[in-house]
Amino acid sequence: MSKFLKKSTLTVGGIAAMLVVAFVQETAADQSAPYNLGREALPEEVAAWDIDVRPDGKGLPVGSGDVFTGEEVWIEKCASCHGDFAEGSGRWPVLAGGIGTLASENPVKTIGSYWPYLSTVYDYVNRAMPFGNAQSLTDDEVYALTAYLLYSNDIVDDEFTLSNDNFLEVEMPNTDNFYPDDRVEVEMPLFSVEACMSDCKTDVAITMRAAVVDVTPETDGDAEVEEAAADVEATEEPAAVAEVAVVEVAALDMELVAAGEGAFRQCKSCHQVGDKARNRTGPMLNNIVGNPAGSVEGFRYSGPMEEAAAGGLVWTEEELGAFLTDPRGYMQGTKMTFRGVRKPEDIAGLIEYLKSFEAD
Amino acid sequence: MTEQFKGVKPSRRAFLRGAAAVGGATAIGTSAAAEADPAITQMKPWNQFLGEGVDARPYGMPSKFEAHVRRQDVPWLTADPISSVNFTPLHEMDGIITPNGLCFERHHGGIAEVDPAEHRIMINGLVDRELVFTMEDLMRFPRENHVYFLECAANSGMEWRGAQLNGCQYTHGMIHNVMYTGVPLRLLLEEAGVKTEGKWILPEGADASGMTRSIPMEKALDDCLVAFKMNGEALRPEQGYPVRLVVPGWEGNMWIKWLRRIEVGDQPWHHREETSKYTDLLGDGRARRFTWEMDAKSVITNPSPQAPITHGKGQTVITGVAWSGRGTIPRVDVTIDGGVNWHQARMSGPSMDKSMHRFYYEFDWDGSDLLLQSRAHDSTGYVQPTKDQLRAVRGLNSIYHNNGIQTWFVNSDGVAENVEIS
């Protein structure tokens, strides 16, 4: 039935399109659909995707959240990358502070010092955070986190509650310091002049050299190129490592491994496992279970972790379980600011999952 | 007789003629080998034995001897490789088209692996009809083909304060130039019927970053494409498969990948990527926003730090690329003495609006130190400025839109380095 209907509208639409085709470009807004393609979006479909928020408050859902609640959510879901006070960790974004630095040699562009609109904070946290688990926060959690970010930027006090009602009352310090692109007026006349072709300067001196700064990755060097070529040649060869490591591997509980893989999602924004695993915010986690703590090559551990490693700490299932339950209670000063895994079954799963990344 | 190889790329016939002539006379600049070349006198396996059949490589890959030609990232640049960037190996390429597998990547939430059967494109907001299209629907609109460069606004951003990275891959490799096949965005918007108060669009991606940018309606109706093919084949996942927005001449961040929604509104949204990022902080602490157009720019790709001169003095080819977000590049100048004297380079290959252009300058190198620069002129009359000219206007904190002239120092051994000069 609906198929027939669609077909008949398509034919009518097709004729209409033929009739108006010459005028389509000028008067499109007033015409019916020129090609009669696609279908009308349902209101619930639009609602599912249209979550964007604008500076005038359009798009804000009804809800509220206070600084205190925001801090709790923050510590659990945000602090591992952005620091307890939004001061940033490693190269992850600094979100607080920096006021008065924008014209200095080292500008610190944070929500407080730089972002012109509060709606941007709500929109971005809601659409893209936490990194690796986007759109998992409730509306009230996003309000609470936004309130906490205002608090960490000294824009509101610790009693503050943010809601859709008072959202537009919040003033951002740097709103007025943006202006539209003026390159066409300011730069184009300056740079659209006849270019000198001969005897343009009297002397030329080198004033700066990249080799002195020396930040180019070495990975593009000859060694790696040769290594890559060797890789291509040697794909048929068995890996040399396999001969050395004859480790007895206890059979894994694959069901538990699968459960652990699910639980590991919350770890992924900082940790990698598998063939291509690299150290990121946290160390890569191949060969962790049963091995000495603080021993992943190339990762810079916290002082306390290095001390524990020097003291002979080994990540037995028991020790690792205790660490994962409450990282900062287990080891004060660890870089892992993750709040901890609450469910014991998740810890068992995680450990089993990590065991599946041991050398065999 | 070697001079006939200068200037123009020899046709096969010219090549044969030239080779015969060289064989006949002991030519200038060439010398007889002391011993016979084993590359000629010794039989190679490929001369004798059969190679793989047509069923061995159903999707062809480059020769194993080209394994070093690849995108490369700079680990210290970002907190992790998921929200990060890698760079096109410009020094390994020629012509104007970037092969799909070498197009630099910039993701904010990793590579979304989108199933096209489960992908939808929605148009909502200030339109007469809020619409949903499948990929099949999209393919039924009239399509167009265009070659455009895509440059990240942060290309050369690490070089604002001075020479930092040794290689044009790193200094200029956040660019690629591809032929897109797609539907003019105008047709999709007309299908939905934009209301008169609809002045802006907000394209949105389906990846975990939910990327959004505000684009003025004038541009949306002008030359934007909703593209599903690059260089004739489906978009690569890392370039937005199955569908991305093409915003010719404007900064790459706006070319939303994995495009799933276009909202029409009466004002811009001021989302994260157009406030916190991609705004240009100037010396006085104020910032320019909506700096969409990419200024004219060029770079010498060979020689460069990753591609030194290895053949010694004599006949030498300098080549590079140039582009402008405001039109074509009718002219590029090259200097080998740090800007005392300039020479007009030879442009070769198609010259298309908002596409990359290729230039060459061939000369007889005497083996002395070189300070190489290129300077693009675009079709508006704009001339690529020096880095110092840019800094005088914008200060040192701008990060984005650094289109200043690049300098390579080449020493007598042919080794090249990224430098700045007075």
Side-chain angles (χ1 to χ4, degrees):
Chain A
M1 177 70 184
S2 61
K3 258 188 182 172
F4 278 111
L5 274 176
K6 186 157 189 199
K7 204 169 184 181
S8 66
T9 49
L10 195 138
T11 313
V12 173
I15 293 164
M18 279 161 62
L19 291 173
V20 301
V21 75
F23 309 97
V24 160
Q25 290 184 12
E26 287 77 17
T27 58
D30 301 319
Q31 300 297 323
S32 60
Y35 296 99
N36 200 21
L37 290 169
R39 63 165 176 83
E40 297 253 354
L42 300 175
E44 61 265 40
E45 291 174 332
V46 174
W49 278 5
D50 184 357
I51 57 168
D52 45 73
V53 178
R54 272 189 343 197
D56 63 355
K58 184 174 176 291
L60 276 176
V62 173
S64 68
D66 59 43
V67 172
F68 181 76
T69 311
E71 183 177 21
E72 288 205 318
V73 181
W74 179 268
I75 295 298
E76 185 181 343
K77 298 184 174 176
C78 317
S80 61
C81 292
H82 296 294
D84 283 1
F85 306 102
E87 77 280 16
S89 163
R91 292 195 60 84
W92 296 101
V94 179
L95 298 179
I99 289 183
T101 65
L102 295 183
S104 76
E105 210 171 286
N106 289 305
V108 181
K109 296 194 275 185
T110 71
I111 289 169
S113 71
Y114 195 63
W115 293 34
Y117 304 108
L118 186 61
S119 59
T120 312
V121 180
Y122 188 101
D123 178 87
Y124 184 70
V125 172
N126 186 44
R127 81 171 46 248
M129 292 289 117
F131 190 65
N133 196 13
Q135 299 184 21
S136 61
L137 300 166
T138 65
D139 292 344
D140 287 349
E141 282 179 326
V142 180
Y143 276 109
L145 285 172
T146 308
Y148 180 70
L149 284 164
L150 287 170
Y151 168 72
S152 21
N153 277 288
D154 295 326
I155 296 170
V156 300
D157 62 33
D158 58 359
E159 304 280 296
F160 183 71
T161 299
L162 181 69
S163 74
N164 55 300
D165 287 327
N166 66 0
F167 200 93
L168 298 186
E169 291 162 23
V170 180
E171 284 181 21
M172 301 295 279
N174 198 44
T175 307
D176 296 333
N177 289 323
F178 289 81
Y179 60 97
D181 185 6
D182 61 355
R183 283 176 296 167
V184 169
E185 297 81 42
V186 173
E187 296 183 7
M188 281 192 69
L190 218 53
F191 301 149
S192 299
V193 293
E194 184 140 354
C196 173
M197 290 301 282
S198 50
D199 300 324
C200 302
K201 12 173 139 162
T202 46
D203 54 19
V204 182
I206 292 177
T207 55
M208 207 176 307
R209 315 177 66 134
V212 175
V213 187
D214 193 22
V215 288
T216 312
E218 283 171 27
T219 45
D220 201 36
D222 293 341
E224 170 125 320
V225 171
E226 278 161 25
E227 205 178 283
D231 278 352
V232 174
E233 307 264 5
T235 42
E236 302 296 311
E237 303 277 331
V241 194
E243 288 169 37
V244 185
V246 188
V247 181
E248 208 149 301
V249 183
L252 292 169
D253 178 341
M254 291 319 288
E255 215 166 288
L256 205 51
V257 169
E261 186 176 6
F264 191 72
R265 262 186 231 131
Q266 58 194 313
C267 318
K268 267 184 168 170
S269 58
C270 299
H271 293 286
Q272 292 187 338
V273 287
D275 280 348
K276 293 178 182 169
R278 290 198 271 174
N279 294 331
R280 291 167 61 191
T281 305
M284 69 96 181
L285 297 179
N286 295 338
N287 290 314
I288 281 294
V289 185
N291 284 305
S295 61
V296 172
E297 207 178 319
F299 186 76
R300 274 207 273 159
Y301 289 94
S302 62
M305 185 65 86
E306 281 184 351
E307 282 164 31
L313 175 64
V314 170
W315 287 131
T316 60
E317 296 192 26
E318 292 70 34
E319 294 292 346
L320 194 54
F323 180 59
L324 291 176
T325 308
D326 182 8
R328 286 186 289 184
Y330 179 94
M331 185 178 290
Q332 204 177 5
T334 176
K335 274 187 171 178
M336 188 156 104
T337 52
F338 178 65
R339 184 179 187 154
V341 181
R342 292 202 191 117
K343 297 184 198 157
E345 63 268 30
D346 279 353
I347 290 185
L350 279 170
I351 291 174
E352 200 71 358
Y353 178 65
L354 289 175
K355 278 158 70 180
S356 72
F357 294 97
E358 284 173 17
D360 50 20
Chain B
M1 292 311 292
T2 47
E3 55 266 34
Q4 50 178 316
F5 292 99
K6 280 185 187 172
V8 280
K9 196 178 173 190
S11 66
R12 184 172 159 76
R13 176 171 295 191
F15 181 80
L16 291 172
R17 214 171 41 231
V22 169
T26 333
I28 316 126
T30 57
S31 54
E35 285 171 41
D37 184 353
I40 297 170
T41 57
Q42 287 178 9
M43 185 97 92
K44 301 295 171 198
W46 57 84
N47 302 139
Q48 191 164 18
F49 306 116
L50 302 177
E52 288 177 339
V54 294
D55 54 349
R57 305 180 189 194
Y59 192 98
M61 298 298 284
S63 159
K64 65 183 178 185
F65 301 106
E66 298 294 317
H68 57 288
V69 180
R70 53 184 180 172
R71 299 181 285 218
Q72 196 79 59
D73 64 335
V74 178
W76 60 261
L77 207 55
T78 52
D80 85 328
I82 301 287
S83 180
S84 191
V85 63
N86 62 23
F87 301 83
T88 304
L90 293 174
H91 61 293
E92 295 284 356
M93 294 159 51
D94 216 320
I96 63 165
I97 294 293
T98 313
N100 290 342
L102 294 178
C103 291
F104 85 96
E105 302 168 69
R106 173 51 169 133
H107 319 303
H108 295 75
I111 302 168
E113 293 279 1
V114 176
D115 177 351
E118 292 187 60
H119 190 71
R120 302 288 180 271
I121 300 162
M122 179 187 289
I123 299 183
N124 75 302
L126 297 176
V127 289
D128 297 331
R129 296 165 295 279
E130 297 191 312
L131 292 176
V132 173
F133 300 109
T134 61
M135 287 304 294
E136 192 183 25
D137 294 333
L138 187 64
M139 308 287 184
R140 294 172 66 191
F141 283 92
R143 302 168 207 171
E144 292 183 4
N145 294 293
H146 296 277
V147 179
Y148 293 122
F149 76 84
L150 179 161
E151 185 185 15
C152 177
N155 200 20
S156 316
M158 290 88 82
E159 306 287 309
W160 261 109
R161 284 162 190 268
Q164 272 222 48
L165 287 159
N166 246 333
C168 72
Q169 180 168 19
Y170 304 111
T171 57
H172 290 75
M174 282 193 246
I175 187 166
H176 53 66
N177 198 59
V178 159
M179 175 174 280
Y180 295 96
T181 306
V183 175
L185 176 59
R186 174 176 51 81
L187 297 183
L188 299 186
L189 290 170
E190 283 170 0
E191 194 71 9
V194 175
K195 290 185 191 294
T196 44
E197 61 272 35
K199 298 296 180 208
W200 291 80
I201 64 161
L202 183 82
E204 178 185 74
D207 63 321
S209 78
M211 179 61 64
T212 46
R213 284 296 300 260
S214 303
I215 299 177
M217 187 59 75
E218 197 182 10
K219 180 69 173 177
L221 296 177
D222 179 17
D223 56 1
C224 291
L225 285 180
V226 176
F228 40 84
K229 293 278 201 283
M230 58 192 292
N231 293 331
E233 65 177 0
L235 295 175
R236 292 289 168 88
E238 64 269 30
Q239 302 300 338
Y241 179 85
V243 59
R244 89 174 305 166
L245 190 63
V246 169
V247 190
W250 288 20
E251 60 189 20
N253 182 253
M254 307 176 84
W255 298 43
I256 304 297
K257 298 189 282 192
W258 312 288
L259 178 71
R260 78 167 189 185
R261 191 170 68 95
I262 296 157
E263 182 170 352
V264 177
D266 59 354
Q267 49 182 279
W269 281 260
H270 294 289
H271 277 182
R272 190 240 197 187
E273 303 292 317
E274 51 207 15
T275 53
S276 165
K277 310 290 175 187
Y278 302 100
T279 46
D280 309 350
L281 182 60
L282 301 193
D284 64 359
R286 297 193 305 150
R288 283 177 179 154
R289 69 171 160 228
F290 298 150
T291 48
W292 300 308
E293 276 178 329
M294 300 309 296
D295 295 310
K297 187 167 172 179
S298 69
V299 64
I300 291 172
T301 56
N302 304 78
S304 63
Q306 297 159 289
I309 301 176
T310 52
H311 54 58
K313 60 186 180 181
Q315 166 70 6
T316 299
V317 174
I318 291 176
T319 185
V321 285
W323 59 92
S324 168
R326 298 191 184 94
T328 58
I329 301 287
R331 171 179 160 195
V332 174
D333 304 325
V334 167
T335 176
I336 60 173
D337 59 14
V340 178
N341 295 298
W342 293 82
H343 314 273
Q344 212 167 311
R346 184 171 57 83
M347 308 303 295
S348 176
S351 169
M352 291 174 284
D353 189 39
K354 304 179 181 70
S355 164
M356 201 179 254
H357 292 60
R358 172 65 61 173
F359 66 86
Y360 298 92
Y361 176 70
E362 295 88 357
F363 75 111
D364 187 359
W365 183 34
D366 62 7
S368 60
D369 289 353
L370 301 170
L371 286 167
L372 303 180
Q373 296 181 326
S374 62
R375 180 173 70 190
H377 301 240
D378 79 9
S379 46
T380 71
Y382 176 100
V383 183
Q384 183 182 3
T386 64
K387 290 184 181 178
D388 283 339
Q389 281 178 299
L390 272 188
R391 289 175 186 137
V393 178
R394 302 189 197 162
L396 292 173
N397 294 331
S398 195
I399 301 178
Y400 305 106
H401 294 281
N402 179 358
N403 68 318
I405 289 174
Q406 174 66 45
T407 312
W408 307 125
F409 168 63
V410 181
N411 71 15
S412 55
D413 295 328
V415 174
E417 188 191 339
N418 177 8
V419 300
E420 291 210 16
I421 56 173
S422 57

mmCIF file of all heavy atoms in Angstrom, chain B residues 15-42:
data_model
loop_
_atom_site.group_PDB
_atom_site.id
_atom_site.type_symbol
_atom_site.label_atom_id
_atom_site.label_comp_id
_atom_site.label_asym_id
_atom_site.label_seq_id
_atom_site.Cartn_x
_atom_site.Cartn_y
_atom_site.Cartn_z
ATOM 1 N N PHE B 15 63.157 10.738 -25.839
ATOM 2 C CA PHE B 15 64.047 10.001 -24.960
ATOM 3 C C PHE B 15 64.947 9.079 -25.766
ATOM 4 O O PHE B 15 66.155 9.030 -25.578
ATOM 5 C CB PHE B 15 63.204 9.183 -23.962
ATOM 6 C CG PHE B 15 64.046 8.412 -22.998
ATOM 7 C CD1 PHE B 15 64.615 9.029 -21.890
ATOM 8 C CD2 PHE B 15 64.284 7.063 -23.213
ATOM 9 C CE1 PHE B 15 65.410 8.318 -21.009
ATOM 10 C CE2 PHE B 15 65.065 6.346 -22.323
ATOM 11 C CZ PHE B 15 65.641 6.973 -21.224
ATOM 12 N N LEU B 16 64.372 8.383 -26.715
ATOM 13 C CA LEU B 16 65.153 7.461 -27.534
ATOM 14 C C LEU B 16 66.181 8.219 -28.370
ATOM 15 O O LEU B 16 67.337 7.827 -28.477
ATOM 16 C CB LEU B 16 64.226 6.652 -28.458
ATOM 17 C CG LEU B 16 63.337 5.640 -27.719
ATOM 18 C CD1 LEU B 16 62.335 5.030 -28.681
ATOM 19 C CD2 LEU B 16 64.183 4.551 -27.063
ATOM 20 N N ARG B 17 65.745 9.353 -28.918
ATOM 21 C CA ARG B 17 66.644 10.186 -29.717
ATOM 22 C C ARG B 17 67.817 10.643 -28.853
ATOM 23 O O ARG B 17 68.957 10.532 -29.219
ATOM 24 C CB ARG B 17 65.864 11.386 -30.244
ATOM 25 C CG ARG B 17 66.309 11.831 -31.609
ATOM 26 C CD ARG B 17 65.364 12.879 -32.198
ATOM 27 N NE ARG B 17 64.894 13.863 -31.263
ATOM 28 C CZ ARG B 17 63.607 14.165 -31.114
ATOM 29 N NH1 ARG B 17 62.690 13.541 -31.819
ATOM 30 N NH2 ARG B 17 63.243 15.095 -30.257
ATOM 31 N N GLY B 18 67.481 11.107 -27.650
ATOM 32 C CA GLY B 18 68.508 11.596 -26.736
ATOM 33 C C GLY B 18 69.472 10.494 -26.356
ATOM 34 O O GLY B 18 70.680 10.677 -26.357
ATOM 35 N N ALA B 19 68.925 9.327 -26.072
ATOM 36 C CA ALA B 19 69.763 8.213 -25.655
ATOM 37 C C ALA B 19 70.722 7.831 -26.771
ATOM 38 O O ALA B 19 71.898 7.588 -26.544
ATOM 39 C CB ALA B 19 68.882 7.017 -25.287
ATOM 40 N N ALA B 20 70.228 7.825 -27.996
ATOM 41 C CA ALA B 20 71.077 7.483 -29.122
ATOM 42 C C ALA B 20 72.204 8.501 -29.255
ATOM 43 O O ALA B 20 73.365 8.148 -29.451
ATOM 44 C CB ALA B 20 70.245 7.449 -30.404
ATOM 45 N N ALA B 21 71.842 9.764 -29.076
ATOM 46 C CA ALA B 21 72.845 10.810 -29.203
ATOM 47 C C ALA B 21 73.915 10.668 -28.134
ATOM 48 O O ALA B 21 75.110 10.776 -28.413
ATOM 49 C CB ALA B 21 72.169 12.175 -29.099
ATOM 50 N N VAL B 22 73.504 10.394 -26.892
ATOM 51 C CA VAL B 22 74.463 10.245 -25.804
ATOM 52 C C VAL B 22 75.391 9.073 -26.089
ATOM 53 O O VAL B 22 76.585 9.123 -25.875
ATOM 54 C CB VAL B 22 73.735 10.048 -24.448
ATOM 55 C CG1 VAL B 22 74.709 9.620 -23.379
ATOM 56 C CG2 VAL B 22 73.045 11.342 -24.052
ATOM 57 N N GLY B 23 74.820 8.000 -26.624
ATOM 58 C CA GLY B 23 75.621 6.831 -26.953
ATOM 59 C C GLY B 23 76.661 7.167 -28.005
ATOM 60 O O GLY B 23 77.774 6.643 -27.983
ATOM 61 N N GLY B 24 76.325 8.045 -28.906
ATOM 62 C CA GLY B 24 77.211 8.362 -30.014
ATOM 63 C C GLY B 24 78.376 9.241 -29.610
ATOM 64 O O GLY B 24 79.499 9.037 -30.056
ATOM 65 N N ALA B 25 78.136 10.196 -28.735
ATOM 66 C CA ALA B 25 79.206 11.112 -28.353
ATOM 67 C C ALA B 25 79.497 10.956 -26.867
ATOM 68 O O ALA B 25 78.632 10.553 -26.107
ATOM 69 C CB ALA B 25 78.761 12.545 -28.645
ATOM 70 N N THR B 26 80.723 11.247 -26.437
ATOM 71 C CA THR B 26 81.003 11.278 -25.018
ATOM 72 C C THR B 26 80.477 12.617 -24.516
ATOM 73 O O THR B 26 81.121 13.644 -24.646
ATOM 74 C CB THR B 26 82.521 11.178 -24.743
ATOM 75 O OG1 THR B 26 83.112 10.477 -25.831
ATOM 76 C CG2 THR B 26 82.779 10.447 -23.448
ATOM 77 N N ALA B 27 79.264 12.561 -23.992
ATOM 78 C CA ALA B 27 78.534 13.801 -23.750
ATOM 79 C C ALA B 27 79.106 14.577 -22.575
ATOM 80 O O ALA B 27 79.748 14.016 -21.696
ATOM 81 C CB ALA B 27 77.073 13.483 -23.501
ATOM 82 N N ILE B 28 78.811 15.864 -22.585
ATOM 83 C CA ILE B 28 79.198 16.754 -21.494
ATOM 84 C C ILE B 28 78.479 16.315 -20.223
ATOM 85 O O ILE B 28 77.291 16.053 -20.254
ATOM 86 C CB ILE B 28 78.791 18.215 -21.805
ATOM 87 C CG1 ILE B 28 79.157 18.543 -23.250
ATOM 88 C CG2 ILE B 28 79.412 19.191 -20.840
ATOM 89 C CD1 ILE B 28 77.992 19.064 -24.058
ATOM 90 N N GLY B 29 79.198 16.230 -19.133
ATOM 91 C CA GLY B 29 78.532 15.931 -17.862
ATOM 92 C C GLY B 29 78.343 14.445 -17.637
ATOM 93 O O GLY B 29 77.975 14.029 -16.561
ATOM 94 N N THR B 30 78.558 13.624 -18.575
ATOM 95 C CA THR B 30 78.493 12.190 -18.341
ATOM 96 C C THR B 30 79.877 11.604 -18.574
ATOM 97 O O THR B 30 80.671 12.127 -19.342
ATOM 98 C CB THR B 30 77.498 11.489 -19.287
ATOM 99 O OG1 THR B 30 77.895 11.775 -20.630
ATOM 100 C CG2 THR B 30 76.091 11.981 -19.075
ATOM 101 N N SER B 31 80.203 10.534 -17.862
ATOM 102 C CA SER B 31 81.504 9.912 -18.059
ATOM 103 C C SER B 31 81.306 8.419 -18.200
ATOM 104 O O SER B 31 80.359 7.852 -17.669
ATOM 105 C CB SER B 31 82.408 10.222 -16.870
ATOM 106 O OG SER B 31 81.761 9.850 -15.675
ATOM 107 N N ALA B 32 82.207 7.776 -18.889
ATOM 108 C CA ALA B 32 82.098 6.338 -19.083
ATOM 109 C C ALA B 32 82.352 5.627 -17.768
ATOM 110 O O ALA B 32 83.181 6.049 -16.969
ATOM 111 C CB ALA B 32 83.112 5.880 -20.128
ATOM 112 N N ALA B 33 81.624 4.539 -17.502
ATOM 113 C CA ALA B 33 81.828 3.778 -16.283
ATOM 114 C C ALA B 33 83.133 2.998 -16.374
ATOM 115 O O ALA B 33 83.548 2.573 -17.447
ATOM 116 C CB ALA B 33 80.659 2.833 -16.084
ATOM 117 N N ALA B 34 83.809 2.854 -15.214
ATOM 118 C CA ALA B 34 85.063 2.114 -15.181
ATOM 119 C C ALA B 34 84.810 0.617 -15.406
ATOM 120 O O ALA B 34 85.590 -0.060 -16.085
ATOM 121 C CB ALA B 34 85.770 2.336 -13.851
ATOM 122 N N GLU B 35 83.735 0.132 -14.808
ATOM 123 C CA GLU B 35 83.412 -1.284 -14.959
ATOM 124 C C GLU B 35 81.989 -1.435 -15.440
ATOM 125 O O GLU B 35 81.150 -0.565 -15.204
ATOM 126 C CB GLU B 35 83.541 -2.000 -13.610
ATOM 127 C CG GLU B 35 84.973 -2.240 -13.184
ATOM 128 C CD GLU B 35 85.028 -2.747 -11.742
ATOM 129 O OE1 GLU B 35 84.172 -3.585 -11.389
ATOM 130 O OE2 GLU B 35 85.896 -2.293 -11.002
ATOM 131 N N ALA B 36 81.717 -2.550 -16.042
ATOM 132 C CA ALA B 36 80.361 -2.802 -16.522
ATOM 133 C C ALA B 36 79.396 -2.853 -15.339
ATOM 134 O O ALA B 36 79.730 -3.378 -14.276
ATOM 135 C CB ALA B 36 80.323 -4.120 -17.284
ATOM 136 N N ASP B 37 78.248 -2.314 -15.522
ATOM 137 C CA ASP B 37 77.248 -2.206 -14.462
ATOM 138 C C ASP B 37 76.548 -3.550 -14.265
ATOM 139 O O ASP B 37 75.918 -4.057 -15.194
ATOM 140 C CB ASP B 37 76.247 -1.114 -14.884
ATOM 141 C CG ASP B 37 75.211 -0.839 -13.816
ATOM 142 O OD1 ASP B 37 75.167 -1.574 -12.812
ATOM 143 O OD2 ASP B 37 74.432 0.120 -14.002
ATOM 144 N N PRO B 38 76.676 -4.145 -13.066
ATOM 145 C CA PRO B 38 76.009 -5.443 -12.842
ATOM 146 C C PRO B 38 74.495 -5.372 -13.010
ATOM 147 O O PRO B 38 73.861 -6.381 -13.272
ATOM 148 C CB PRO B 38 76.386 -5.804 -11.406
ATOM 149 C CG PRO B 38 76.929 -4.558 -10.792
ATOM 150 C CD PRO B 38 77.439 -3.698 -11.905
ATOM 151 N N ALA B 39 73.917 -4.141 -12.835
ATOM 152 C CA ALA B 39 72.473 -4.006 -13.068
ATOM 153 C C ALA B 39 72.140 -4.348 -14.516
ATOM 154 O O ALA B 39 71.001 -4.666 -14.846
ATOM 155 C CB ALA B 39 72.013 -2.595 -12.736
ATOM 156 N N ILE B 40 73.188 -4.242 -15.368
ATOM 157 C CA ILE B 40 72.990 -4.583 -16.781
ATOM 158 C C ILE B 40 73.523 -5.970 -17.102
ATOM 159 O O ILE B 40 72.868 -6.767 -17.771
ATOM 160 C CB ILE B 40 73.714 -3.542 -17.674
ATOM 161 C CG1 ILE B 40 73.087 -2.158 -17.456
ATOM 162 C CG2 ILE B 40 73.662 -3.954 -19.136
ATOM 163 C CD1 ILE B 40 73.878 -1.027 -18.086
ATOM 164 N N THR B 41 74.709 -6.280 -16.573
ATOM 165 C CA THR B 41 75.367 -7.523 -17.002
ATOM 166 C C THR B 41 74.896 -8.756 -16.245
ATOM 167 O O THR B 41 75.054 -9.868 -16.724
ATOM 168 C CB THR B 41 76.889 -7.402 -16.837
ATOM 169 O OG1 THR B 41 77.175 -7.082 -15.467
ATOM 170 C CG2 THR B 41 77.461 -6.339 -17.740
ATOM 171 N N GLN B 42 74.340 -8.566 -15.035
ATOM 172 C CA GLN B 42 73.872 -9.739 -14.282
ATOM 173 C C GLN B 42 72.371 -9.915 -14.434
ATOM 174 O O GLN B 42 71.613 -8.960 -14.283
ATOM 175 C CB GLN B 42 74.225 -9.593 -12.794
ATOM 176 C CG GLN B 42 75.703 -9.779 -12.532
ATOM 177 C CD GLN B 42 76.026 -9.585 -11.050
ATOM 178 O OE1 GLN B 42 75.138 -9.483 -10.218
ATOM 179 N NE2 GLN B 42 77.315 -9.534 -10.754
#
